[in-house]
Amino acid sequence: MTEYLKPIPIPSPDSLPFWEAAREHNLCMQKCRKCHKYWFPPSTLCPQCGNKVYDWVNTSGIGSVHSFVIYHRLYHKGWTAEVPYVVALIELDEGPRLYANLVDIEPDEVRCDQKVKVYFDDVTEKCTIPKFRPLNASPD
Ligand code: ZN
């Protein structure tokens, strides 16, 4: 594995299950036991109904592009080989939205509402970052 030059996410106690699941190549989020809604980012109570009882549940990893930006400017040397690159707000089919890199597509071909699927980039031995690519480009 080549040296990884980008910042590594530092899990909080609330987000640790998300990152541990990512290492196992699962996109896992909290799901309320009362109203059955998923939510993200992680928190200790359901943002829909305030219930404090939830489970960590694997999602489908399938969603759509809600919005996106194309970074043409280099803000960190770790991305030197990647500009321009896409950061998208992905809306999962289960409802929650999360920011992620959208890859395996030319930036000027990205469209809102296009279907995407998660894949897991094992950037170091201890860190896996969920990213997305067009659903029709996913090998699995
Ligand atoms: Zn709830």
Side-chain angles (χ1 to χ4, degrees), residues 32-37 39 46 48-51:
C32 179
R33 284 195 186 175
K34 185 175 178 185
C35 74
H36 307 291
K37 298 258 178 62
W39 73 83
C46 173
Q48 299 294 323
C49 73
N51 183 29

Side-chain angles (χ1 to χ4, degrees), residues 117-137:
K117 183 176 183 180
V118 72
Y119 91 97
F120 296 92
D121 190 354
D122 298 312
V123 298
T124 70
E125 289 182 7
K126 295 183 177 180
C127 180
T128 298
I129 297 181
K131 297 182 179 179
F132 285 79
R133 56 187 167 205
L135 184 60
N136 58 11

